[in-house]
Amino acid sequence: MSDEVLATPIDAIAAADLAGKGLRFETILSSDDAFEPWFQAMTRGFHESAFNLDSLPNRVEGFADRRICGVWDDTLADAPTPVATASSWAMPLTVPGRRTVPSWAISTITVAPTHRRRGIARDLLEAELRTAAALNVPVAILTASEATIYERFGFAPAALAADWVIDPRRAKWTGRVPAGRVQLVSRGQARDEGGFEVFERSILEIPGQVGVSGHLWQRLFGLPDSPDVAGIRVARYDDVDGAPQGFAIYRAASENFSTIIRVTQLFAATDDAYAALWQYLFELDLITSVVANLRSTDEAFRWQISDSRAAREDHAGDHLWLRILDVKTTLEARHYSAPGTFVLEVSDDLGFADGSWLLSIDNAGSAKAQKLDDTEGFADNHRLRLSVNELAAVYLGATTFATLIRAGRVNEKTPLAARAADAAFRSDVTPWLSLWF
């Protein structure tokens, strides 16, 4: 789909609105001369240092498959630098049942402080949603630097993440001890020799994970211009047949006379790989703590150490935000844990998902969804009224209809509808996303 993504014209509605404000809305390619000032504007938007021009070729390659948008104010002294940025691309999102659904990844949304409060961000976000819908991508996703922006556009937190801090002096390993082996490999070996296949198998087990390629895959192992790339270490678990089944990417950092192991990624295609890699990290010599960011809120290692209090969540909260555009395709994409027939009365201020939807789930957990002209004649079905935000929140199984009813966010229109829906939407694996994009 990448060629189609790059060839899609700029959203006409947003372009007209921005033109009325004296602004120019256009797409560019990473190979264009306009990309360097665009990238500088994006880094400025996140309060990052200006990037070194020596790294420009890496950025050009990394953004080659993205749809890059910018907003320019041609009256400025620095007219080549845009006042707002956005980029997007299509990638698979894992949903319950070891399945995937195409998603529209939205990233690098920034607006210059000189141009705030002009509706530019709204134009950018709504343009992205209309573009995704035009390309028949059923859901949009993003990772948010701020938690108060995206609900107005129909997004909701759909997968949480936690930062864990483990005291290895108390966390004696009591879990399984696999028969394979852990060995240290170079970043290049892990990245280029079977690592991608292991990663793809591991993320298929976890709702909320996304398929990565190109720039995002390279970034997991440290880009050449990353300041801490020299300190990155990679441990690989091989099963008894010598086949790689998991990787841990980490680095050691000295802080306040203590040595901390910072785990940036650990992906495991098997339970043995998961156990062996965490045991390896917890038993490293000369360390005072293991810090693992962007992990699941339901990590099994809590149950594999002698003192569960030695592993604590330092922070847990929203990470993956999801927005449903095509209700039928999205609801039919995942597996369900119980049968049932539901009428979901969905409101959507932007119109993409608005309407009443009949969701029929069979005994095998497969579903059919259809839009209803009205809800008459479906009084015997479980009925729930909710906005597109709440539908996104429950879709992967990160929260429940019952919780949202207690919060006043969902209206249960027939008795026990929430109980039946929660049984159906439950995920055996806690949704989780392990990276930023």
Side-chain angles (χ1 to χ4, degrees):
M1 175 181 264
S2 59
D3 290 342
E4 187 179 4
V5 167
L6 295 178
T8 301
I10 201 72
D11 179 73
I13 296 174
D17 187 67
L18 289 165
K21 302 170 184 175
L23 302 171
R24 175 168 51 90
F25 186 32
E26 293 183 354
T27 61
I28 64 171
L29 299 174
S30 68
S31 56
D32 295 342
D33 291 340
F35 178 70
E36 188 269 327
W38 180 95
F39 200 92
Q40 297 286 19
M42 184 272 292
T43 58
R44 179 186 64 191
F46 290 107
H47 303 297
E48 299 174 0
S49 300
F51 82 101
N52 189 328
L53 288 181
D54 291 340
S55 68
L56 184 60
N58 290 328
R59 307 306 183 186
V60 169
E61 180 181 0
F63 280 67
D65 61 348
R66 295 194 185 191
R67 186 174 185 273
I68 305 168
C69 301
V71 177
W72 283 265
D73 184 339
D74 294 321
T75 68
L76 297 179
D78 183 13
T81 299
V83 297
T85 64
S87 64
S88 50
W89 65 99
M91 62 179 173
L93 168 70
T94 303
V95 299
R98 304 184 78 252
R99 304 176 184 181
T100 63
V101 63
S103 69
W104 189 251
I106 301 172
S107 184
T108 61
I109 298 287
T110 73
V111 178
T114 55
H115 285 66
R116 295 174 66 242
R117 310 299 183 193
R118 301 191 191 183
I120 296 174
R122 174 170 289 278
D123 280 323
L124 289 176
L125 263 296
E126 293 185 0
E128 291 293 348
L129 297 179
R130 286 190 292 267
T131 300
L135 290 168
N136 296 315
V137 181
V139 301
I141 58 175
L142 54 84
T143 53
S145 55
E146 293 186 54
T148 58
I149 297 174
Y150 298 102
E151 188 169 350
R152 75 192 74 164
F153 300 101
F155 286 86
L160 308 181
D163 295 338
W164 289 82
V165 179
I166 301 96
D167 182 349
R169 295 162 296 189
R170 297 166 54 197
K172 304 306 179 186
W173 190 258
T174 59
R176 71 174 76 197
V177 179
R181 68 171 181 172
V182 174
Q183 61 174 312
L184 292 169
V185 296
S186 70
R187 293 186 302 113
Q189 285 176 306
R191 185 185 61 231
D192 304 329
E193 299 177 12
F196 188 73
E197 186 271 337
V198 174
F199 179 80
E200 286 199 311
R201 284 194 290 124
S202 70
I203 65 171
L204 195 57
E205 305 292 335
I206 305 167
Q209 295 282 21
V210 295
V212 301
S213 60
H215 175 72
L216 285 179
W217 175 247
Q218 301 283 339
R219 196 180 73 184
L220 293 185
F221 298 90
L223 296 173
D225 58 333
S226 299
D228 58 354
V229 67
I232 294 174
R233 300 287 180 264
V234 183
R236 187 181 78 195
Y237 173 77
D238 299 340
D239 64 20
V240 292
D241 296 321
Q245 300 292 352
F247 294 84
I249 306 171
Y250 66 96
R251 58 184 174 84
S254 296
E255 300 178 12
N256 298 322
F257 304 103
S258 300
T259 300
I260 297 171
I261 294 296
R262 295 196 170 274
V263 184
T264 57
Q265 282 287 328
L266 189 151
F267 49 93
T270 66
D271 291 341
D272 277 355
Y274 177 95
L277 290 168
W278 283 116
Q279 181 184 12
Y280 165 82
L281 292 167
F282 293 168
E283 294 181 350
L284 286 171
D285 291 331
L286 306 177
I287 62 170
T288 54
S289 64
V290 176
V291 177
N293 301 117
L294 291 184
R295 297 299 308 178
S296 172
T297 57
D298 187 29
E299 289 287 350
F301 61 63
R302 185 200 287 272
W303 304 93
Q304 295 174 304
I305 54 178
S306 58
D307 182 355
S308 63
R309 294 185 183 183
R312 61 180 175 86
E313 293 182 30
D314 189 50
H315 169 78
D318 64 272
H319 186 45
L320 176 73
W321 288 68
L322 186 144
R323 208 284 185 203
I324 294 175
L325 299 167
D326 181 337
V327 175
K328 175 179 171 61
T329 299
T330 304
L331 290 178
E332 291 181 350
R334 59 156 290 177
H335 175 269
Y336 295 86
S337 296
T341 307
F342 306 88
V343 173
L344 305 175
E345 300 176 19
V346 181
S347 61
D348 181 354
D349 290 342
L350 297 182
F352 296 104
D354 208 45
S356 294
W357 301 85
L358 178 65
L359 175 65
S360 302
I361 304 168
D362 63 22
N363 290 328
S366 295
K368 293 293 183 182
Q370 67 179 85
K371 190 172 185 178
L372 305 175
D373 292 332
D374 56 57
T375 58
E376 295 300 322
F378 293 94
D380 293 336
N381 297 321
H382 300 295
R383 295 177 61 183
L384 295 151
R385 178 177 292 169
L386 67 167
S387 78
V388 67
N389 305 77
E390 285 74 53
L391 187 58
V394 300
Y395 177 63
L396 298 178
T399 191
T400 65
F401 287 93
T403 294
L404 295 177
I405 287 172
R406 290 197 298 273
R409 301 283 298 254
V410 171
N411 181 6
E412 186 178 42
K413 300 196 69 178
T414 57
L416 303 179
R419 178 181 295 181
D422 284 337
F425 278 75
R426 181 184 64 83
S427 171
D428 291 337
V429 179
T430 300
W432 160 53
L433 174 63
S434 61
L435 52 85
W436 290 94
F437 62 80

